[in-house]
Amino acid sequence: RITSPNEIRVHAFLSRIFDNSGFCSKKSTHRMIDEIERYNPDIVHLHNIHGYYLDVDSLFKYLKQSKRNVVWTLHDCWAMTGHCSHFTMAQCEQWKTHCSHCIQKKEYPACYGISNANKNFERKKKAFRNVPNMTIVTPSQWLADITKQSFLKDYPIKLIPNGVDLSVFKPDSQNPYSDTACDGKRVLLSVATAWTDRKGYHDYIRLSKILDDRYQIVLIGLTNKQLKILPKDIVGVKVTNSREELARYYSNAYAVLSLSKEETMGLTVVEALACGTPVVVYNSTALPEIVTVKCGRIVECGNLNGIVKVLDELEEIDLIDCVKRAEEYEKQKMYEEYISLYEEHIK
């Protein structure tokens, strides 16, 4: 760890006022650079470099000068915009040419002062381009296609999905829904680490009003505040840190729904399939790439009646077909893809 909680707070505070997320934390970035120099790695592998802990100007200046091999796995769209990490819901395409202003200024990384999207876009473009030995990895074809339309398009772009641990996520007969309000009903499960409208939160509430009594929606990952205001016809569960418990929830659901509007992959969908449970997803961003007719259904974004219409069709889906689809995302296969990429760089 290269930074302290107080340093993160300062970076976040400055971002709230000056809209300069990713351009603070110079001291912690230089500490990291010193550590890279001491360790002298063959490859520097970047993941999410936003989150109020790095100065990307300093980092990329060093990477260019050092000529180290760099692999950068993108998990959202922040690298190619002047502010936001996702732009699909906002239907914004400024990122393709130049972000002059941001209509999502108050979305992560939130700013309540003056928008700095114009300057941020130029700074990112200058920092992130012309790294001599860098490959960009995306977890979905959708994000790869987006990247190819951005100022990052000149880099080699490789598709390596996020992997699922099949030793944990597998069919489990131990039913967590017994002796609850869900008992005897078809459970429609959805899981998120943070429930927002981007994840479809309000769509689940609207869907609960049109489902018949055979079905019960269960949402995992809600905050205490959300649990207090959750409609009575939805069962809410707080965040679980147990992957084994989560696998039991997946395994014993009738279906797992992902009504998210913005996903760069959709790992919860793969986890559900690994547990033998069919899925229903919106035809939005990367989610349709995962789902075949043998393991689930795809409906138009926002079409709640379409979801109701396909639910009975899920009875025809075989558990084995779901698991087979998830096996294509087995984590060891994904690790081997990364190792091959590392070896190409080292050569």
Side-chain angles (χ1 to χ4, degrees):
R1 182 163 182 167
I2 61 165
T3 190
S4 68
N6 282 338
E7 287 174 311
I8 292 174
R9 292 187 190 103
V10 169
H11 191 149
F13 175 74
L14 294 173
S15 299
R16 297 288 191 277
I17 299 172
F18 301 112
D19 192 18
N20 59 355
S21 177
F23 297 99
C24 307
S25 300
K26 291 185 185 294
K27 286 185 178 180
S28 62
T29 306
H30 285 292
R31 282 198 294 269
M32 185 184 72
I33 290 170
D34 289 342
E35 181 66 15
I36 293 172
E37 281 291 287
R38 185 196 66 79
Y39 187 67
N40 192 28
D42 297 295
I43 293 166
V44 175
H45 191 158
L46 309 176
H47 286 271
N48 266 350
I49 58 172
H50 55 85
Y52 313 121
Y53 73 104
L54 275 178
D55 173 55
V56 298
D57 275 339
S58 302
L59 173 61
F60 276 82
K61 182 179 179 181
Y62 165 75
L63 293 174
K64 291 172 185 177
Q65 291 174 344
S66 68
K67 293 184 170 57
R68 293 187 182 278
N69 293 298
V70 180
V71 174
W72 188 4
T73 300
L74 301 182
H75 297 280
D76 55 35
C77 305
W78 180 86
M80 58 198 86
T81 74
H83 175 87
C84 64
S85 58
H86 293 279
F87 40 68
T88 303
M89 280 181 65
Q91 298 181 329
C92 179
E93 295 190 343
Q94 293 183 72
W95 57 274
K96 290 182 179 180
T97 52
H98 188 277
C99 292
S100 57
H101 67 282
C102 187
I103 58 177
Q104 298 191 101
K105 187 180 72 169
K106 293 184 180 179
E107 296 296 323
Y108 173 85
C111 172
Y112 299 98
I114 299 172
S115 174
N116 207 17
N118 179 55
K119 186 177 180 182
N120 289 342
F121 187 88
E122 289 301 321
R123 292 181 75 177
K124 287 182 184 180
K125 189 175 179 180
K126 181 180 178 182
F128 299 158
R129 291 173 71 182
N130 302 313
V131 181
N133 304 306
M134 185 163 81
T135 298
I136 289 178
V137 176
T138 64
S140 65
Q141 187 60 52
W142 175 83
L143 188 55
D145 293 340
I146 290 292
T147 306
K148 289 172 186 176
Q149 299 175 65
S150 76
F151 58 71
L152 299 173
K153 62 186 176 184
D154 293 330
Y155 289 111
I157 299 171
K158 186 173 179 64
L159 170 60
I160 305 178
N162 299 328
V164 63
D165 188 345
L166 297 180
S167 68
V168 174
F169 293 101
K170 57 187 178 182
D172 188 330
S173 60
Q174 188 176 338
N175 191 350
Y177 304 111
S178 59
D179 301 323
T180 70
C182 308
D183 201 10
K185 293 190 176 185
R186 292 175 167 181
V187 172
L188 304 178
L189 176 67
S190 193
V191 180
T193 53
W195 278 105
T196 62
D197 204 34
R198 181 171 72 84
K199 291 290 186 182
Y201 177 72
H202 290 100
D203 282 5
Y204 290 100
I205 293 175
R206 288 189 284 268
L207 179 62
S208 70
K209 307 302 179 187
I210 62 175
L211 287 169
D212 63 47
D213 292 339
R214 292 178 298 163
Y215 297 99
Q216 176 63 60
I217 293 177
V218 176
L219 302 182
I220 294 181
L222 295 166
T223 64
N224 288 328
K225 183 178 179 180
Q226 288 172 324
L227 286 170
K228 288 178 182 178
I229 62 173
L230 194 68
K232 293 181 179 179
D233 52 6
I234 296 179
V235 173
V237 180
K238 291 182 10 177
V239 174
T240 173
N241 293 318
S242 168
R243 295 189 303 162
E244 290 75 14
E245 182 182 21
L246 189 55
R248 288 192 286 273
Y249 274 110
Y250 283 136
S251 298
N252 293 279
Y254 174 73
V256 168
L257 309 185
S258 182
L259 308 187
S260 178
K261 283 100 170 170
E262 295 175 323
E263 289 292 340
T264 50
M265 189 210 158
L267 189 58
T268 59
V269 174
V270 181
E271 291 171 350
L273 293 174
C275 295
T277 303
V279 296
V280 179
V281 303
Y282 274 159
N283 186 19
S284 181
T285 56
L287 289 172
E289 296 177 32
I290 301 170
V291 183
T292 69
V293 70
K294 285 189 172 184
C295 66
R297 295 293 183 268
I298 302 167
V299 299
E300 287 300 314
C301 191
N303 185 0
L304 301 183
N305 288 320
I307 295 170
V308 175
K309 187 176 179 180
V310 302
L311 288 177
D312 283 336
E313 298 176 16
L314 301 180
E315 287 187 274
E316 305 168 7
I317 291 177
D318 195 312
L319 176 151
I320 294 174
D321 288 326
C322 294
V323 174
K324 282 183 178 178
R325 180 60 176 151
E327 287 173 351
E328 297 178 37
Y329 296 87
E330 196 272 326
K331 69 173 187 176
Q332 192 60 40
K333 292 179 182 178
M334 304 303 110
Y335 293 164
E336 288 167 4
E337 289 280 336
Y338 271 113
I339 291 169
S340 295
L341 177 58
Y342 295 155
E343 289 175 344
E344 287 174 24
H345 269 278
I346 291 169
K347 287 177 184 176

